[in-house]
Amino acid sequence: QVQLVESGGGLVQAGGSLRLSCAASGRTFSNYAMAWFRQAPGKEREFVAVMSAGSTDYANSVKGRFTISRDGAKNTVYLQMNSLKPEDTAVYYCAAGPYGSRQDRPYNYWGQGTQVTVSS
């Protein structure tokens, strides 16, 4: 059974940092694009970052503050989040798919999400 399990969320003050992890099991995702999305209360899910074939892409709102990386040996992808702002508050989801995109359509595996709350 394929699973993506996120961890590392929590409550942090504005300006602080968190590192999210997404551990994959059930298959290897070395050839898959891995992405992070988020959904704030009352808003649609939005793209955050993606890593595919060694290249990365970020939403403008997080560029320069967030970094996506992966450890192939651990089948894990990370999202390092620095200089957090209250508007970063959301449930963060990990996703895997055959190619990278800012849209959620190509991602056929999703985690359950982890809550990130940034206080002002």
Side-chain angles (χ1 to χ4, degrees):
Q1 182 180 359
V2 177
Q3 274 192 313
L4 299 177
V5 179
E6 301 96 335
S7 61
L11 174 63
V12 64
Q13 287 188 333
S17 298
L18 282 174
R19 189 178 80 154
L20 305 183
S21 299
C22 172
S25 62
R27 64 162 294 155
T28 180
F29 288 93
S30 57
N31 295 324
Y32 269 56
M34 301 295 294
W36 289 94
F37 287 77
R38 67 186 181 186
Q39 188 168 20
K43 295 187 177 181
E44 293 187 353
R45 186 166 58 191
E46 66 174 3
F47 166 79
V48 174
V50 62
M51 174 173 276
S52 176
S55 65
T56 58
D57 186 28
Y58 297 91
N60 289 340
S61 60
V62 307
K63 198 172 294 183
R65 300 187 298 121
F66 291 11
T67 303
I68 187 172
S69 62
R70 69 196 299 171
D71 184 333
K74 295 182 178 180
N75 221 17
T76 299
V77 64
Y78 304 98
L79 185 68
Q80 178 67 44
M81 306 186 295
N82 299 328
S83 302
L84 283 161
K85 305 175 181 179
E87 51 264 44
D88 294 319
T89 294
V91 177
Y92 283 71
Y93 297 92
C94 172
Y99 62 91
S101 172
R102 291 187 170 205
Q103 308 300 316
D104 56 6
R105 177 180 290 187
Y107 300 102
N108 44 5
Y109 299 106
W110 291 85
Q112 83 289 348
T114 185
Q115 176 70 47
V116 171
T117 303
V118 184
S119 62
S120 57

